[in-house]
Amino acid sequence: MMKNTFYLGLIFCLFGFNASAQFKRTAKGAQYQIISTNPGAKIQPTDVITFNAVQSTESDSVLFSTYKLGQPIKTPLRQSNNVADLMDIFPLLSVNDSVIVKVPVDSVFKGHEADMPPIFKKGSNIIFNVKILQTQSLEAAMAERNAAMEKIKAESEQLKASESASIANYIKNNNILAKSTPSGLKYVVKTAGLKPKPQNGDTVYVNYTGRTLEGKVFDSSIEADAKAAGLQQPGRTYEPINFAVGTGRVIKGWDEGLVLLNEGSKARFIIPSALAYGERGAGADIKPYSTLIFDLELVKVVRVKHDAVKPAAKAPLKKKGTLKKRVAAKKKN
């Protein structure tokens, strides 16, 4: 509660909140107070606006904050659909204006009162604190968006190229003779099993240790490997994990690679980020565009019944004597 109160106190100070000022009311019942230090042209119906916002209850519980997220909201103006979208408020503002809006909870949940969260009380208000940062035409906003997307695309291509070079260096420096699949998965079978390969849908039991290309161990089902790497996994049961292969339960590199191994095989997978966690990464150890190395053993396969592939239908055999009869008929003619 102290943290939430601090956030609201900070916003009120920034916006110059005047508790004694009179609130005005919109046709839909929202109350608002505008704090304007340098009023300019009002926001137009065709504008795209960028703004910061804090949403809270009357008891100072912060529900949402763009300040906390570190990312303001950008949206085109549109016709108001409900009192809480503030579309009736924005045309009253200019760039750099701030506004405090009180939206009746009863109006927001009218007709579906049962959906009202316990944090709200009947007759109370949702408080919005909004600061207008920028207005743009739709064309300017689209141009800015396209430029940002092109920049992201260029950066992504650079990172992909850098990742490919890193994989090539890793393979060269470690003298690895790896097979490759069309998708970019590279794998080395260290010990080949003698039993058949799994098929999609079969349940596989796998022991593994996962590393980054730099050698950082981030996960292991093998206790000795985890301890040697100083990996902290409280409550972890060290045993093979199991899942139905080919069902999306694991990263794509695993689903693709495991069906290439015979049951009982030990192998190393070199999995590019496109078949792992991609541009998002996963936690502190797996950064965006990280290639992952897995040393694993396909311990066991529990097979399900697969539909047998039906042989191609053969053309019907001609009846015996048919050809001879035709030849005889021709001689008579």
Side-chain angles (χ1 to χ4, degrees):
M1 180 63 72
M2 288 182 64
K3 185 176 181 180
N4 293 341
T5 304
F6 169 77
Y7 264 111
L8 287 181
L10 175 62
I11 299 306
F12 287 151
C13 289
L14 290 173
F15 291 172
F17 177 63
N18 183 357
S20 63
Q22 292 294 316
F23 278 77
K24 297 181 181 179
R25 188 181 296 271
T26 67
K28 290 185 178 179
Q31 299 180 66
Y32 66 94
Q33 178 191 341
I34 298 174
I35 299 96
S36 182
T37 56
N38 186 22
K42 301 299 182 188
I43 295 171
Q44 299 300 305
T46 56
D47 283 345
V48 175
I49 59 173
T50 304
F51 62 94
N52 274 320
V54 176
Q55 183 188 45
S56 63
T57 66
E58 286 185 329
S59 59
D60 293 349
S61 293
V62 174
L63 307 172
F64 172 81
S65 171
T66 58
Y67 295 94
K68 194 171 183 180
L69 293 176
Q71 181 66 45
I73 296 169
K74 185 185 288 285
T75 183
L77 252 65
R78 62 179 188 276
Q79 186 174 358
S80 178
N81 293 319
N82 62 75
V83 66
D85 62 21
L86 305 187
M87 289 296 165
D88 288 340
I89 301 293
F90 290 129
L92 307 175
L93 307 174
S94 305
V95 174
N96 295 323
D97 281 357
S98 301
V99 64
I100 300 166
V101 185
K102 298 180 180 181
V103 175
V105 169
D106 297 345
S107 297
V108 174
F109 293 96
K110 186 176 181 179
H112 47 98
E113 289 79 4
D115 296 330
M116 184 186 298
I119 194 171
F120 297 125
K121 298 185 182 301
K122 186 174 177 61
S124 66
N125 293 299
I126 304 173
I127 311 299
F128 292 86
N129 292 272
V130 175
K131 170 85 171 179
I132 304 297
L133 303 177
Q134 183 185 39
T135 61
Q136 296 171 285
S137 66
L138 181 60
E139 293 77 11
M142 288 297 294
E144 182 182 273
R145 176 180 176 274
N146 291 339
M149 290 181 67
E150 286 299 319
K151 182 180 179 182
I152 292 171
K153 182 179 178 181
E155 291 174 347
S156 175
E157 291 301 321
Q158 290 178 354
L159 289 169
K160 288 178 182 177
S162 176
E163 182 184 6
S164 296
S166 297
I167 292 173
N169 288 335
Y170 175 83
I171 290 173
K172 179 181 178 181
N173 294 338
N174 291 278
N175 297 314
I176 296 173
L177 296 176
K179 295 181 180 180
S180 298
T181 68
S183 68
L185 170 68
K186 299 184 186 301
Y187 66 101
V188 179
V189 178
K190 297 181 177 181
T191 303
L194 300 177
K195 295 183 179 180
K197 298 173 182 178
Q199 297 183 53
N200 287 337
D202 290 343
T203 295
V204 294
Y205 287 74
V206 182
N207 259 330
Y208 69 95
T209 296
R211 298 176 175 83
T212 63
L213 209 60
E214 296 74 28
K216 169 70 175 177
V217 175
F218 58 82
D219 192 11
S220 182
S221 66
I222 303 167
E223 187 172 10
D225 286 359
K227 287 184 176 180
L231 194 63
Q232 300 297 320
Q233 301 185 107
R236 174 70 183 260
T237 301
Y238 290 101
E239 60 186 13
I241 64 169
N242 65 86
F243 54 92
V245 71
T247 60
R249 295 280 304 279
V250 291
I251 58 176
K252 292 179 181 179
W254 271 42
D255 268 340
E256 180 180 341
L258 287 169
V259 295
L260 302 175
L261 304 180
N262 294 83
E263 182 179 349
S265 294
K266 293 182 180 181
R268 172 170 291 185
F269 288 170
I270 303 171
I271 304 178
S273 62
L275 300 177
Y277 296 99
E279 62 186 17
R280 295 173 289 106
D285 292 330
I286 304 176
K287 294 180 170 50
Y289 297 101
S290 287
T291 300
L292 304 181
I293 312 297
F294 284 97
D295 289 306
L296 48 80
E297 179 183 4
L298 181 51
V299 178
K300 179 182 175 182
V301 178
V302 177
R303 305 174 196 280
V304 298
K305 185 177 180 180
H306 297 279
D307 293 334
V309 178
K310 295 180 180 179
K314 295 181 180 179
L317 296 173
K318 294 179 180 178
K319 294 181 179 179
K320 293 181 179 180
T322 302
L323 183 59
K324 291 182 179 179
K325 289 179 181 179
R326 287 178 180 173
V327 173
K330 285 182 179 180
K331 286 183 178 179
K332 290 181 179 180
N333 294 333

